[in-house]
Amino acid sequence: MKLYDQIFDVVKQFKKLFSPGPVTNADVSGSITAEIFLIVSLVISAILLRHVSVLLAGLVTLILTVLLISNIPLIPKFKIEQEDSLEKMIFYAVLVLALIVTFMYWGGNLV
Amino acid sequence: MAQVQLAILLTSAALVIIGLYSAIFIDNIIKKIIGISFIEEGANLFIVAIGYKAGGVVPILMPGMDTSWFAANAAYPLPFGLVLTSIVIGASTLAVMLALVMVLYRRYGTLSTKVMLADTSKQEEYNE
Amino acid sequence: MNELIPLMVIVPLMAALLISAFSKFNKVTKIFAFVVAICLPLIPLLSNYGLHYFGGYQPMLDNVTGVMYHPAITYSFTFLQQIIIGAVGLLTFLVVFIYLTKYKKVSGPYLFLLFLGTAAVTAMILTDDIFHMFVFFEILALAQVGIVAASSIDYSYEMALKYMILGSIGSPIMLLGIGFLLALTGSVNVTDIALAVHTGLIDATSPVFLLSLALIFFGWLYASGLPPFHTIKSGIYSKAEPHGAALLQSFTVVSMISIVLIMFRIYSSLPIFEVLVVFFSILAMILGVSLALTQTDFRRMIGFLAVGELGFIGLGIGLGTNFAITAGLFQALNEIIITALLFIGFGAVVHATNEVDTRKLGGILAYHPKVAIMLLIGGLAMAGVPPLSGFQSKLMLVQASLSCGFPEISILAIMVSIATFVVFVKTYYTMFLKPKPNDLDLEGKEVPRTMVFAMGVLLIIIILLGIFPDVVTSGISNFVGGIL
Amino acid sequence: MLEIVLCIIVILSAILALIQKDLLKAAILTGFSGGALAVLFQILLAPDVALTQAIVGAAIVPVFIALAVKKTQRSDG
């Protein structure tokens, strides 16, 4: 019952997302599509880990599914992190740089 | 590796890290631009250090030099040529950034990145 | 006639300089810009395939080791370069044409930036020298910033400054990576470096070599607007004038494929390279399309879709077989043309309505049926509906990933295509089909005929490529066979 | 020995430039860093690069920054 309420609450959350200006059917349905698309595509891409280890892929897929579904609506949280303010963009750029460099230096030969 | 080259490599690494630090943590836009230009300088210093040869000579063939001695002792000049281009590119990029900052200062009246370069929807609220 | 190869770069570069110097004379500038713009797509079509050594320094054979060294900056011109430069040249012609007819008084600096960008991407795809590519990459970044800042859209200066600051992190990091490669091999010629790697002169598992891959890869992410740079890329598309945005996305696509082909030639022996490319491509596809679904500004939406489509190109390169890379490069050509059509078409809508919010639009179909129908076909091509060109390249990509043993990637690619279709149909419905809001005034506003002409030209190419893909794919396949 | 002193000058003036409250001082300290870098290039056997860096790093860039500071505001706050 809790999950059902949560899904119902999603529509209300989307209203806030488009807050200045009217909210149309097309926008809300688009956001719900985006929500489902995000969950499904992340889970499917987690299955790609089976080329490393089948057990790991199964575990990650299960954990990711539970985590993503219990955290809906994802899109409002997601959109806040993807806004185009310089601070956030530089932060993510430098974070990715640090991750790539660390990963390549110590783990480049593992694959 | 010569001691000189090691010191230079550490310096260039320090410059790159200072630049990346200032890109994230400094709020004032002019200081942020100064900081970011240090990344470019660090990269330039690194590339010049590649061409360096300990105990070598400047790669200019003077009259009277023996060619084979010169070839064995001169520094490697290709990186130097590359860095020349890179320095000029860095300076022009910096000039364009400062010009944009000067235009934007007239609109916002502050140099804070949080105000000047916030999310586009928030800027619309700020200007209303 | 190999003398035409350097002219592909020199003509737009000289035109840019001359136009900015003599921009006082309005009429002369217009005629000159028009003539140069016509020449741009013609030069690659007339030129023969071959190599051009600047300064005439031929490759030298080392008698001791039997290795060829390339002392000169080398331009190599093959079928791939021909079609890509041809496509960019045609697009530049259309954009300059739209610009010249839109304004009575043309601005010299703006034309300067357009031609400078074209020259820069042409040099990037032609060159065989990694530092030469970096120099033109920086020039391209400056031209892109200028094109964004020159637009009259609100907050374009802010977006240009953000792009520039991110660029001045991305480019020096790439320069550092090039420096590592230079330190390892003592050369900046890609053929020499690739030979040194493949003959085992460089230890491919050494940390320095891996680190150079990491740094150049980060620069590539910035150049192509894959995550974490997808927000800024879609931002600059939405803040440039529509015809400028059409050209900007072609610059992005060309710089993406030219850098990734160089990386592929050097690092293809490392399996981690392909893993990284596929990972970021999948991320770009998921993020781009899911963010496009939630946008209300349709220019921003097309920007995110364009980023999502870039993921397909990366996917093709990352899978690494001949068929997959051919599909990726074919997708790059299609994307240049389809996204340009969409940007110009939506730009025509902005021109007619002065409104970018989809919620305030509606019922445009009755007023501008030509634009509406061409946009519909363009959107269907982007989503991959047969028999248009987007379908052919996406089908090839799905087949390639299946034959490589990654059915998950095929499923993802099909899902992203479907989501692209949803985005497009949703926007199309709210803009063209939904009843017209009362406060929207559409009477008496004409779409410029040059925009309709440009869309028509691009549409013909889309349909022709969709029906006869072999014309292009067989040539690209030969090229890919050469670098594998 | 000289090169190590110069390296320390480069890094110190870079850090000092970034912690100044007065932006004009930051511009001058950037010039210090650029000038020291030019001497380092000379020590690294690259006199042509050193000349360019001396002009660009020690003169042009600080002047650009100082101009920008003059057109905007001097204090960081």
Side-chain angles (χ1 to χ4, degrees), chain A residues 59-79:
Chain A
L59 266 178
V60 170
T61 312
L62 275 179
I63 293 172
L64 203 65
T65 316
V66 172
L67 211 68
L68 288 176
I69 291 182
S70 61
N71 269 317
I72 51 174
L74 294 166
I75 287 291
K77 297 167 199 165
F78 220 63
K79 233 184 147 185

Side-chain angles (χ1 to χ4, degrees), chain C residues 283-295:
Chain C
L283 208 59
M285 278 156 54
I286 295 173
L287 288 182
V289 173
S290 61
L291 284 168
L293 273 167
T294 60
Q295 297 299 317

Side-chain angles (χ1 to χ4, degrees), chain A residues 73-91:
Chain A
L74 294 166
I75 287 291
K77 297 167 199 165
F78 220 63
K79 233 184 147 185
I80 290 170
E81 291 306 309
Q82 314 283 323
E83 64 173 24
D84 53 1
S85 75
L86 187 70
E87 277 175 273
K88 284 231 166 86
M89 287 194 290
I90 285 194
F91 173 72

Side-chain angles (χ1 to χ4, degrees), chain C residues 100-361:
Chain C
L100 288 179
T101 49
K102 191 175 177 189
Y103 297 100
K104 275 227 153 51
K105 176 97 182 73
V106 297
S107 132
Y110 190 68
L111 284 171
F112 166 77
L113 291 168
L114 294 182
F115 282 123
L116 192 68
T118 309
V121 287
T122 310
M124 280 179 76
I125 187 100
L126 277 175
T127 188
D128 196 27
D129 181 298
I130 194 164
F131 189 79
H132 191 78
M133 187 207 70
F134 171 78
V135 170
F136 276 102
F137 172 58
E138 287 272 22
I139 294 174
L140 177 67
L142 283 173
Q144 283 174 323
V145 166
I147 291 173
V148 176
S151 81
S152 55
I153 298 167
D154 293 346
Y155 310 109
S156 63
Y157 279 132
E158 283 89 337
M159 202 55 92
L161 185 57
K162 284 175 200 169
Y163 185 67
M164 194 135 209
I165 291 179
L166 282 171
S168 52
I169 296 175
S171 326
I173 295 291
M174 190 167 160
L175 179 64
L176 214 55
I178 293 173
F180 280 158
L181 271 184
L182 181 62
L184 280 174
T185 60
S187 170
V188 284
N189 187 288
V190 180
T191 313
D192 289 354
I193 297 175
L195 195 69
V197 175
H198 294 308
T199 52
L201 279 178
I202 303 173
D203 179 15
T205 55
S206 77
V208 180
F209 189 64
L210 290 171
L211 213 53
S212 76
L213 169 58
L215 297 174
I216 296 180
F217 190 85
F218 185 76
W220 176 67
L221 289 182
Y222 159 68
S224 53
L226 297 181
F229 295 104
H230 58 297
T231 40
I232 187 68
K233 268 293 181 206
S234 62
I236 65 165
Y237 294 157
S238 68
K239 295 299 172 202
E241 297 276 351
H243 48 267
L247 206 51
L248 282 180
Q249 61 84 20
S250 78
F251 292 167
T252 308
V253 174
V254 178
S255 56
M256 171 178 186
I257 59 171
S258 52
I259 300 176
V260 85
L261 283 178
I262 286 179
M263 289 204 302
F264 185 82
R265 282 165 65 191
I266 298 175
Y267 298 106
S268 57
S269 57
L270 291 174
I272 184 89
F273 167 68
E274 286 159 7
V275 174
L276 270 182
V277 173
V278 168
F279 176 78
F280 278 95
S281 304
I282 289 177
L283 208 59
M285 278 156 54
I286 295 173
L287 288 182
V289 173
S290 61
L291 284 168
L293 273 167
T294 60
Q295 297 299 317
T296 53
D297 176 346
F298 59 78
R299 286 177 312 193
R300 200 72 200 253
M301 179 211 84
I302 295 289
F304 274 119
L305 273 190
V307 172
E309 294 291 299
L310 283 174
F312 282 98
I313 306 173
L315 209 58
I317 309 279
L319 288 174
T321 59
N322 187 329
F323 189 65
I325 299 175
T326 309
L329 294 174
F330 184 39
Q331 165 75 14
L333 178 69
N334 290 336
E335 193 185 337
I336 290 176
I337 293 164
I338 296 170
T339 321
L341 171 66
L342 292 185
F343 272 118
I344 294 175
F346 282 107
V349 174
V350 180
H351 190 91
T353 58
N354 272 327
E355 184 59 63
V356 294
D357 196 334
T358 48
R359 291 172 292 188
K360 294 173 189 161
L361 289 169

